[in-house]
Amino acid sequence: MSLILGLESSCDDSAAAIVGSDRRILAHAVVGQNAAHQPYGGVVPEIAARAHVEILPGLIRRVIDEAGVEVAQIDAIAATAGPGLIGGVMVALLAGKGLALATGKPLIAVNHLEGHALSPRLVDPDLDFPYLLLLVSGGHCQLLEVAGVGRYKRLATTIDDAVGEAFDKAAKLLGLDYPGGPALEALASEGDPAAVPLPRPLLGSPEPHFSFAGLKSAVQRAVASGQHRPADIAASFQAAVIDCLVDRTARALETSDAPALVVAGGVAANRAIRAAMAGLAERNARCFSVPPAWLCTDNAAMIAWAGAERLAAGLTDPLDAPARARWPLDDAAERVRGAGVKA
Ligand code: KG4
Ligand code: ZN
C-alpha cells in the first residue's frame, strides 16, 4: 500500500488530499474562490493564481494533520501539471516539486483531465478498463475510450463551447451568480422543461461531436423576449443539454465495445444528467459508473488517485516536468473544425 499526496490548483479551486493505493481517502480539502471571482462573472486568472499561493500551503498542512501521517510516510507527490490557467497550474506543480525535492519521493505530474477520467475508479473498485467516458467540465466536453492509465482515444469533442461553460453562460443570462451550473440546476427544478422551445445542436449527426453555442444564443433570445419565467428557461435549457449529451453518447456507444459507460467532470455533479446517463447505459446493456458529486467537481483526491494509478504503472516524472496550459489526453486526436474552435 502506498500513500499519495495530491495537489490541485489549475482553475479556481485550491485542493490537497492524501489517498492510499487501497482506495482509502485519508483526508481531502478544497477551498474555492467564488467570492473573489463573482464580481467579474467568471474566473480572473491573475486573482486565482495569487489566491492559490496563499491557500494551498495551509491545505497541505491540514490534510497531513487530518490524515495523521508524517510527511516521511508519503510515498509520492502527485500535482496537476495542466491543462488549465497557467499561473494557477504552476502553484501546485511547484509546491509538489518542492516537497518531492525535500523528501526524496517521486513526483507525478498529473494531467487534470486524467484526474477526472480515473476518478470513478477511486470509489468503484469493480470498474475495469476499458470504458467509454463522457468527460463534462467547465473547459471540456469529450467522449473518450479509456483503455488504461495513460491510454485514451478521443471519439468526440465540442466544436465550440464546453458544456460547463454553456451552463455558466446560460446562468449568467438568467442573472445567476458564477459558477452558474449548480444555481441553474436548482432553478431548473422549479420550471417546465417543455415550456421554451430550444435547439438541440448536432442532434443525430453521424460524428458524435457536441455544440452548445447555438443553444446559448437561443437562451439569450428567450431571456430578451421577456415571455418566459426564468425557471422555465433554466429547465428547458437543461433538458436540451441532456438531449444532446444522451444523443451524442448513444452515437458513440454504437461504435464502442466498452462494457461500461462512465461520466466524470464538474457537470457530472448535475442530478438530472446523472439520471439520464444511467438510463442510457441501462438501455444499452452497459454498466454505469459516476463518482459522488464532490469527486466530480475539482478536487485533489482525484489527482492523488491518478498519481496512485500512475505510480503503480511505474510512471513518475522528473523535477523539470513542464506546466502546460494545453494538454490533450489523446495527442493523436485531430483538431475538430467548428464555428469557434478554441486552441
Ligand atoms: O470539473 P470542474 O469543477 O472544473 C473544470 O475542470 O472545469 O467543472 C466546473 C464546471 C462549471 O462550469 C460548473 O458550472 C459546472 O462544472 N457544474 C455544474 C454543476 N456543478 C458544477 N453544471 C451543471 N450542474 C451542476 N450541478
Ligand atoms: Zn476539472
mmCIF file with all atom_site columns, all heavy atoms in Angstrom, residues 112 116 137-139 164-165 167-168 181-182 185 265-267 269-270 296-298, ligand 1:
data_model
loop_
_atom_site.group_PDB
_atom_site.id
_atom_site.type_symbol
_atom_site.label_atom_id
_atom_site.label_alt_id
_atom_site.label_comp_id
_atom_site.label_asym_id
_atom_site.label_entity_id
_atom_site.label_seq_id
_atom_site.pdbx_PDB_ins_code
_atom_site.Cartn_x
_atom_site.Cartn_y
_atom_site.Cartn_z
_atom_site.occupancy
_atom_site.B_iso_or_equiv
_atom_site.pdbx_formal_charge
_atom_site.auth_seq_id
_atom_site.auth_comp_id
_atom_site.auth_asym_id
_atom_site.auth_atom_id
_atom_site.pdbx_PDB_model_num
ATOM   1   N N   . HIS A 1 112 ? -4.791  17.009 -15.390 1.00 0.00 ? 112 HIS A N   1
ATOM   2   C CA  . HIS A 1 112 ? -6.062  17.246 -14.683 1.00 0.00 ? 112 HIS A CA  1
ATOM   3   C C   . HIS A 1 112 ? -7.200  16.418 -15.290 1.00 0.00 ? 112 HIS A C   1
ATOM   4   O O   . HIS A 1 112 ? -8.057  15.900 -14.566 1.00 0.00 ? 112 HIS A O   1
ATOM   5   C CB  . HIS A 1 112 ? -6.381  18.741 -14.765 1.00 0.00 ? 112 HIS A CB  1
ATOM   6   C CG  . HIS A 1 112 ? -7.663  19.143 -14.110 1.00 0.00 ? 112 HIS A CG  1
ATOM   7   N ND1 . HIS A 1 112 ? -7.746  19.471 -12.775 1.00 0.00 ? 112 HIS A ND1 1
ATOM   8   C CD2 . HIS A 1 112 ? -8.919  19.275 -14.604 1.00 0.00 ? 112 HIS A CD2 1
ATOM   9   C CE1 . HIS A 1 112 ? -8.998  19.788 -12.475 1.00 0.00 ? 112 HIS A CE1 1
ATOM   10  N NE2 . HIS A 1 112 ? -9.732  19.687 -13.568 1.00 0.00 ? 112 HIS A NE2 1
ATOM   11  N N   . HIS A 1 116 ? -9.861  13.564 -13.678 1.00 0.00 ? 116 HIS A N   1
ATOM   12  C CA  . HIS A 1 116 ? -11.306 13.356 -13.859 1.00 0.00 ? 116 HIS A CA  1
ATOM   13  C C   . HIS A 1 116 ? -11.576 11.965 -14.444 1.00 0.00 ? 116 HIS A C   1
ATOM   14  O O   . HIS A 1 116 ? -12.495 11.270 -14.006 1.00 0.00 ? 116 HIS A O   1
ATOM   15  C CB  . HIS A 1 116 ? -11.885 14.406 -14.812 1.00 0.00 ? 116 HIS A CB  1
ATOM   16  C CG  . HIS A 1 116 ? -12.118 15.761 -14.195 1.00 0.00 ? 116 HIS A CG  1
ATOM   17  N ND1 . HIS A 1 116 ? -12.926 15.946 -13.091 1.00 0.00 ? 116 HIS A ND1 1
ATOM   18  C CD2 . HIS A 1 116 ? -11.671 16.993 -14.544 1.00 0.00 ? 116 HIS A CD2 1
ATOM   19  C CE1 . HIS A 1 116 ? -12.957 17.237 -12.787 1.00 0.00 ? 116 HIS A CE1 1
ATOM   20  N NE2 . HIS A 1 116 ? -12.203 17.896 -13.647 1.00 0.00 ? 116 HIS A NE2 1
ATOM   21  N N   . SER A 1 137 ? -16.913 19.139 -18.222 1.00 0.00 ? 137 SER A N   1
ATOM   22  C CA  . SER A 1 137 ? -16.442 20.076 -17.193 1.00 0.00 ? 137 SER A CA  1
ATOM   23  C C   . SER A 1 137 ? -16.575 21.504 -17.702 1.00 0.00 ? 137 SER A C   1
ATOM   24  O O   . SER A 1 137 ? -17.193 21.755 -18.743 1.00 0.00 ? 137 SER A O   1
ATOM   25  C CB  . SER A 1 137 ? -14.989 19.757 -16.841 1.00 0.00 ? 137 SER A CB  1
ATOM   26  O OG  . SER A 1 137 ? -14.151 20.119 -17.916 1.00 0.00 ? 137 SER A OG  1
ATOM   27  N N   . GLY A 1 138 ? -15.975 22.430 -16.967 1.00 0.00 ? 138 GLY A N   1
ATOM   28  C CA  . GLY A 1 138 ? -16.045 23.826 -17.373 1.00 0.00 ? 138 GLY A CA  1
ATOM   29  C C   . GLY A 1 138 ? -15.261 24.103 -18.648 1.00 0.00 ? 138 GLY A C   1
ATOM   30  O O   . GLY A 1 138 ? -15.593 25.002 -19.408 1.00 0.00 ? 138 GLY A O   1
ATOM   31  N N   . GLY A 1 139 ? -14.218 23.317 -18.891 1.00 0.00 ? 139 GLY A N   1
ATOM   32  C CA  . GLY A 1 139 ? -13.363 23.562 -20.050 1.00 0.00 ? 139 GLY A CA  1
ATOM   33  C C   . GLY A 1 139 ? -13.465 22.507 -21.138 1.00 0.00 ? 139 GLY A C   1
ATOM   34  O O   . GLY A 1 139 ? -12.930 22.696 -22.226 1.00 0.00 ? 139 GLY A O   1
ATOM   35  N N   . GLY A 1 164 ? -19.950 22.819 -19.420 1.00 0.00 ? 164 GLY A N   1
ATOM   36  C CA  . GLY A 1 164 ? -19.982 23.601 -18.180 1.00 0.00 ? 164 GLY A CA  1
ATOM   37  C C   . GLY A 1 164 ? -20.000 25.099 -18.484 1.00 0.00 ? 164 GLY A C   1
ATOM   38  O O   . GLY A 1 164 ? -20.665 25.886 -17.814 1.00 0.00 ? 164 GLY A O   1
ATOM   39  N N   . GLU A 1 165 ? -19.252 25.455 -19.525 1.00 0.00 ? 165 GLU A N   1
ATOM   40  C CA  . GLU A 1 165 ? -19.218 26.849 -19.994 1.00 0.00 ? 165 GLU A CA  1
ATOM   41  C C   . GLU A 1 165 ? -20.626 27.272 -20.427 1.00 0.00 ? 165 GLU A C   1
ATOM   42  O O   . GLU A 1 165 ? -21.066 28.392 -20.142 1.00 0.00 ? 165 GLU A O   1
ATOM   43  C CB  . GLU A 1 165 ? -18.253 26.880 -21.181 1.00 0.00 ? 165 GLU A CB  1
ATOM   44  C CG  . GLU A 1 165 ? -17.812 28.206 -21.673 1.00 0.00 ? 165 GLU A CG  1
ATOM   45  C CD  . GLU A 1 165 ? -16.832 28.034 -22.859 1.00 0.00 ? 165 GLU A CD  1
ATOM   46  O OE1 . GLU A 1 165 ? -16.447 26.888 -23.202 1.00 0.00 ? 165 GLU A OE1 1
ATOM   47  O OE2 . GLU A 1 165 ? -16.487 29.061 -23.447 1.00 0.00 ? 165 GLU A OE2 1
ATOM   48  N N   . PHE A 1 167 ? -23.480 26.004 -19.341 1.00 0.00 ? 167 PHE A N   1
ATOM   49  C CA  . PHE A 1 167 ? -24.254 26.185 -18.106 1.00 0.00 ? 167 PHE A CA  1
ATOM   50  C C   . PHE A 1 167 ? -23.946 27.540 -17.480 1.00 0.00 ? 167 PHE A C   1
ATOM   51  O O   . PHE A 1 167 ? -24.854 28.269 -17.057 1.00 0.00 ? 167 PHE A O   1
ATOM   52  C CB  . PHE A 1 167 ? -23.922 25.071 -17.099 1.00 0.00 ? 167 PHE A CB  1
ATOM   53  C CG  . PHE A 1 167 ? -24.881 23.903 -17.129 1.00 0.00 ? 167 PHE A CG  1
ATOM   54  C CD1 . PHE A 1 167 ? -24.594 22.771 -17.872 1.00 0.00 ? 167 PHE A CD1 1
ATOM   55  C CD2 . PHE A 1 167 ? -26.068 23.937 -16.411 1.00 0.00 ? 167 PHE A CD2 1
ATOM   56  C CE1 . PHE A 1 167 ? -25.464 21.690 -17.909 1.00 0.00 ? 167 PHE A CE1 1
ATOM   57  C CE2 . PHE A 1 167 ? -26.952 22.872 -16.433 1.00 0.00 ? 167 PHE A CE2 1
ATOM   58  C CZ  . PHE A 1 167 ? -26.648 21.736 -17.189 1.00 0.00 ? 167 PHE A CZ  1
ATOM   59  N N   . ASP A 1 168 ? -22.651 27.875 -17.404 1.00 0.00 ? 168 ASP A N   1
ATOM   60  C CA  . ASP A 1 168 ? -22.264 29.131 -16.753 1.00 0.00 ? 168 ASP A CA  1
ATOM   61  C C   . ASP A 1 168 ? -22.769 30.355 -17.518 1.00 0.00 ? 168 ASP A C   1
ATOM   62  O O   . ASP A 1 168 ? -23.220 31.333 -16.924 1.00 0.00 ? 168 ASP A O   1
ATOM   63  C CB  . ASP A 1 168 ? -20.738 29.194 -16.587 1.00 0.00 ? 168 ASP A CB  1
ATOM   64  C CG  . ASP A 1 168 ? -20.216 28.128 -15.629 1.00 0.00 ? 168 ASP A CG  1
ATOM   65  O OD1 . ASP A 1 168 ? -21.004 27.656 -14.788 1.00 0.00 ? 168 ASP A OD1 1
ATOM   66  O OD2 . ASP A 1 168 ? -19.034 27.766 -15.725 1.00 0.00 ? 168 ASP A OD2 1
ATOM   67  N N   . GLY A 1 181 ? -23.530 26.598 -12.896 1.00 0.00 ? 181 GLY A N   1
ATOM   68  C CA  . GLY A 1 181 ? -24.061 25.240 -13.039 1.00 0.00 ? 181 GLY A CA  1
ATOM   69  C C   . GLY A 1 181 ? -24.997 24.818 -11.913 1.00 0.00 ? 181 GLY A C   1
ATOM   70  O O   . GLY A 1 181 ? -26.170 24.513 -12.153 1.00 0.00 ? 181 GLY A O   1
ATOM   71  N N   . PRO A 1 182 ? -24.508 24.824 -10.662 1.00 0.00 ? 182 PRO A N   1
ATOM   72  C CA  . PRO A 1 182 ? -25.363 24.379 -9.554  1.00 0.00 ? 182 PRO A CA  1
ATOM   73  C C   . PRO A 1 182 ? -26.597 25.274 -9.383  1.00 0.00 ? 182 PRO A C   1
ATOM   74  O O   . PRO A 1 182 ? -27.693 24.784 -9.104  1.00 0.00 ? 182 PRO A O   1
ATOM   75  C CB  . PRO A 1 182 ? -24.447 24.478 -8.332  1.00 0.00 ? 182 PRO A CB  1
ATOM   76  C CG  . PRO A 1 182 ? -23.050 24.462 -8.882  1.00 0.00 ? 182 PRO A CG  1
ATOM   77  C CD  . PRO A 1 182 ? -23.132 25.080 -10.246 1.00 0.00 ? 182 PRO A CD  1
ATOM   78  N N   . GLU A 1 185 ? -29.132 24.434 -12.066 1.00 0.00 ? 185 GLU A N   1
ATOM   79  C CA  . GLU A 1 185 ? -29.793 23.161 -11.762 1.00 0.00 ? 185 GLU A CA  1
ATOM   80  C C   . GLU A 1 185 ? -30.903 23.369 -10.726 1.00 0.00 ? 185 GLU A C   1
ATOM   81  O O   . GLU A 1 185 ? -32.012 22.839 -10.865 1.00 0.00 ? 185 GLU A O   1
ATOM   82  C CB  . GLU A 1 185 ? -28.793 22.123 -11.239 1.00 0.00 ? 185 GLU A CB  1
ATOM   83  C CG  . GLU A 1 185 ? -29.481 20.797 -10.936 1.00 0.00 ? 185 GLU A CG  1
ATOM   84  C CD  . GLU A 1 185 ? -28.588 19.713 -10.332 1.00 0.00 ? 185 GLU A CD  1
ATOM   85  O OE1 . GLU A 1 185 ? -27.415 19.979 -10.034 1.00 0.00 ? 185 GLU A OE1 1
ATOM   86  O OE2 . GLU A 1 185 ? -29.099 18.589 -10.161 1.00 0.00 ? 185 GLU A OE2 1
ATOM   87  N N   . GLY A 1 265 ? -16.244 14.699 -14.315 1.00 0.00 ? 265 GLY A N   1
ATOM   88  C CA  . GLY A 1 265 ? -16.065 16.135 -14.516 1.00 0.00 ? 265 GLY A CA  1
ATOM   89  C C   . GLY A 1 265 ? -17.166 16.904 -13.790 1.00 0.00 ? 265 GLY A C   1
ATOM   90  O O   . GLY A 1 265 ? -18.209 16.336 -13.449 1.00 0.00 ? 265 GLY A O   1
ATOM   91  N N   . GLY A 1 266 ? -16.947 18.198 -13.601 1.00 0.00 ? 266 GLY A N   1
ATOM   92  C CA  . GLY A 1 266 ? -17.832 19.008 -12.774 1.00 0.00 ? 266 GLY A CA  1
ATOM   93  C C   . GLY A 1 266 ? -19.311 18.923 -13.125 1.00 0.00 ? 266 GLY A C   1
ATOM   94  O O   . GLY A 1 266 ? -20.176 18.880 -12.246 1.00 0.00 ? 266 GLY A O   1
ATOM   95  N N   . VAL A 1 267 ? -19.624 18.885 -14.425 1.00 0.00 ? 267 VAL A N   1
ATOM   96  C CA  . VAL A 1 267 ? -21.028 18.874 -14.844 1.00 0.00 ? 267 VAL A CA  1
ATOM   97  C C   . VAL A 1 267 ? -21.707 17.544 -14.475 1.00 0.00 ? 267 VAL A C   1
ATOM   98  O O   . VAL A 1 267 ? -22.934 17.471 -14.362 1.00 0.00 ? 267 VAL A O   1
ATOM   99  C CB  . VAL A 1 267 ? -21.136 19.173 -16.359 1.00 0.00 ? 267 VAL A CB  1
ATOM   100 C CG1 . VAL A 1 267 ? -22.576 19.169 -16.831 1.00 0.00 ? 267 VAL A CG1 1
ATOM   101 C CG2 . VAL A 1 267 ? -20.497 20.527 -16.671 1.00 0.00 ? 267 VAL A CG2 1
ATOM   102 N N   . ALA A 1 269 ? -21.853 16.426 -11.733 1.00 0.00 ? 269 ALA A N   1
ATOM   103 C CA  . ALA A 1 269 ? -22.498 16.613 -10.425 1.00 0.00 ? 269 ALA A CA  1
ATOM   104 C C   . ALA A 1 269 ? -23.999 16.855 -10.589 1.00 0.00 ? 269 ALA A C   1
ATOM   105 O O   . ALA A 1 269 ? -24.766 16.733 -9.637  1.00 0.00 ? 269 ALA A O   1
ATOM   106 C CB  . ALA A 1 269 ? -21.862 17.796 -9.694  1.00 0.00 ? 269 ALA A CB  1
ATOM   107 N N   . ASN A 1 270 ? -24.430 17.184 -11.804 1.00 0.00 ? 270 ASN A N   1
ATOM   108 C CA  . ASN A 1 270 ? -25.834 17.512 -12.081 1.00 0.00 ? 270 ASN A CA  1
ATOM   109 C C   . ASN A 1 270 ? -26.705 16.256 -11.997 1.00 0.00 ? 270 ASN A C   1
ATOM   110 O O   . ASN A 1 270 ? -26.490 15.290 -12.731 1.00 0.00 ? 270 ASN A O   1
ATOM   111 C CB  . ASN A 1 270 ? -25.916 18.140 -13.476 1.00 0.00 ? 270 ASN A CB  1
ATOM   112 C CG  . ASN A 1 270 ? -27.311 18.584 -13.841 1.00 0.00 ? 270 ASN A CG  1
ATOM   113 O OD1 . ASN A 1 270 ? -28.178 17.764 -14.053 1.00 0.00 ? 270 ASN A OD1 1
ATOM   114 N ND2 . ASN A 1 270 ? -27.508 19.884 -13.907 1.00 0.00 ? 270 ASN A ND2 1
ATOM   115 N N   . CYS A 1 296 ? -16.764 14.817 -8.560  1.00 0.00 ? 296 CYS A N   1
ATOM   116 C CA  . CYS A 1 296 ? -16.928 15.265 -9.950  1.00 0.00 ? 296 CYS A CA  1
ATOM   117 C C   . CYS A 1 296 ? -16.336 16.657 -10.126 1.00 0.00 ? 296 CYS A C   1
ATOM   118 O O   . CYS A 1 296 ? -15.619 16.919 -11.092 1.00 0.00 ? 296 CYS A O   1
ATOM   119 C CB  . CYS A 1 296 ? -18.410 15.298 -10.319 1.00 0.00 ? 296 CYS A CB  1
ATOM   120 S SG  . CYS A 1 296 ? -19.153 13.660 -10.473 1.00 0.00 ? 296 CYS A SG  1
ATOM   121 N N   . THR A 1 297 ? -16.659 17.574 -9.214  1.00 0.00 ? 297 THR A N   1
ATOM   122 C CA  . THR A 1 297 ? -16.097 18.925 -9.307  1.00 0.00 ? 297 THR A CA  1
ATOM   123 C C   . THR A 1 297 ? -14.626 18.864 -8.864  1.00 0.00 ? 297 THR A C   1
ATOM   124 O O   . THR A 1 297 ? -14.191 17.886 -8.257  1.00 0.00 ? 297 THR A O   1
ATOM   125 C CB  . THR A 1 297 ? -16.890 19.909 -8.431  1.00 0.00 ? 297 THR A CB  1
ATOM   126 O OG1 . THR A 1 297 ? -17.046 19.336 -7.133  1.00 0.00 ? 297 THR A OG1 1
ATOM   127 C CG2 . THR A 1 297 ? -18.265 20.175 -9.003  1.00 0.00 ? 297 THR A CG2 1
ATOM   128 N N   . ASP A 1 298 ? -13.872 19.919 -9.181  1.00 0.00 ? 298 ASP A N   1
ATOM   129 C CA  . ASP A 1 298 ? -12.428 19.859 -8.971  1.00 0.00 ? 298 ASP A CA  1
ATOM   130 C C   . ASP A 1 298 ? -12.062 19.566 -7.519  1.00 0.00 ? 298 ASP A C   1
ATOM   131 O O   . ASP A 1 298 ? -12.635 20.144 -6.588  1.00 0.00 ? 298 ASP A O   1
ATOM   132 C CB  . ASP A 1 298 ? -11.786 21.177 -9.434  1.00 0.00 ? 298 ASP A CB  1
ATOM   133 C CG  . ASP A 1 298 ? -11.704 21.239 -10.955 1.00 0.00 ? 298 ASP A CG  1
ATOM   134 O OD1 . ASP A 1 298 ? -11.967 20.215 -11.609 1.00 0.00 ? 298 ASP A OD1 1
ATOM   135 O OD2 . ASP A 1 298 ? -11.366 22.319 -11.482 1.00 0.00 ? 298 ASP A OD2 1
HETATM 136 O O1  . KG4 B 2 .   ? -14.529 19.921 -13.322 1.00 0.00 ? 1   KG4 B O1  1
HETATM 137 P P1  . KG4 B 2 .   ? -14.821 21.290 -12.833 1.00 0.00 ? 1   KG4 B P1  1
HETATM 138 O O2  . KG4 B 2 .   ? -15.010 21.504 -11.366 1.00 0.00 ? 1   KG4 B O2  1
HETATM 139 O O3  . KG4 B 2 .   ? -13.712 22.300 -13.308 1.00 0.00 ? 1   KG4 B O3  1
HETATM 140 C C1  . KG4 B 2 .   ? -13.131 22.182 -14.569 1.00 0.00 ? 1   KG4 B C1  1
HETATM 141 O O4  . KG4 B 2 .   ? -12.177 21.375 -14.715 1.00 0.00 ? 1   KG4 B O4  1
HETATM 142 O O5  . KG4 B 2 .   ? -13.646 22.862 -15.498 1.00 0.00 ? 1   KG4 B O5  1
HETATM 143 O O6  . KG4 B 2 .   ? -16.129 21.780 -13.626 1.00 0.00 ? 1   KG4 B O6  1
HETATM 144 C C2  . KG4 B 2 .   ? -16.689 23.042 -13.359 1.00 0.00 ? 1   KG4 B C2  1
HETATM 145 C C3  . KG4 B 2 .   ? -17.927 23.212 -14.213 1.00 0.00 ? 1   KG4 B C3  1
HETATM 146 C C4  . KG4 B 2 .   ? -18.512 24.626 -14.135 1.00 0.00 ? 1   KG4 B C4  1
HETATM 147 O O7  . KG4 B 2 .   ? -18.813 25.050 -15.433 1.00 0.00 ? 1   KG4 B O7  1
HETATM 148 C C5  . KG4 B 2 .   ? -19.762 24.419 -13.290 1.00 0.00 ? 1   KG4 B C5  1
HETATM 149 O O8  . KG4 B 2 .   ? -20.790 25.353 -13.570 1.00 0.00 ? 1   KG4 B O8  1
HETATM 150 C C6  . KG4 B 2 .   ? -20.161 23.019 -13.699 1.00 0.00 ? 1   KG4 B C6  1
HETATM 151 O O9  . KG4 B 2 .   ? -18.952 22.307 -13.770 1.00 0.00 ? 1   KG4 B O9  1
HETATM 152 N N1  . KG4 B 2 .   ? -21.065 22.399 -12.712 1.00 0.00 ? 1   KG4 B N1  1
HETATM 153 C C7  . KG4 B 2 .   ? -22.334 22.064 -12.968 1.00 0.00 ? 1   KG4 B C7  1
HETATM 154 C C8  . KG4 B 2 .   ? -22.876 21.567 -11.750 1.00 0.00 ? 1   KG4 B C8  1
HETATM 155 N N2  . KG4 B 2 .   ? -21.894 21.614 -10.808 1.00 0.00 ? 1   KG4 B N2  1
HETATM 156 C C9  . KG4 B 2 .   ? -20.783 22.118 -11.414 1.00 0.00 ? 1   KG4 B C9  1
HETATM 157 N N3  . KG4 B 2 .   ? -23.070 22.138 -14.102 1.00 0.00 ? 1   KG4 B N3  1
HETATM 158 C C10 . KG4 B 2 .   ? -24.349 21.718 -14.038 1.00 0.00 ? 1   KG4 B C10 1
HETATM 159 N N4  . KG4 B 2 .   ? -24.947 21.254 -12.915 1.00 0.00 ? 1   KG4 B N4  1
HETATM 160 C C11 . KG4 B 2 .   ? -24.248 21.172 -11.759 1.00 0.00 ? 1   KG4 B C11 1
HETATM 161 N N5  . KG4 B 2 .   ? -24.830 20.706 -10.643 1.00 0.00 ? 1   KG4 B N5  1
#
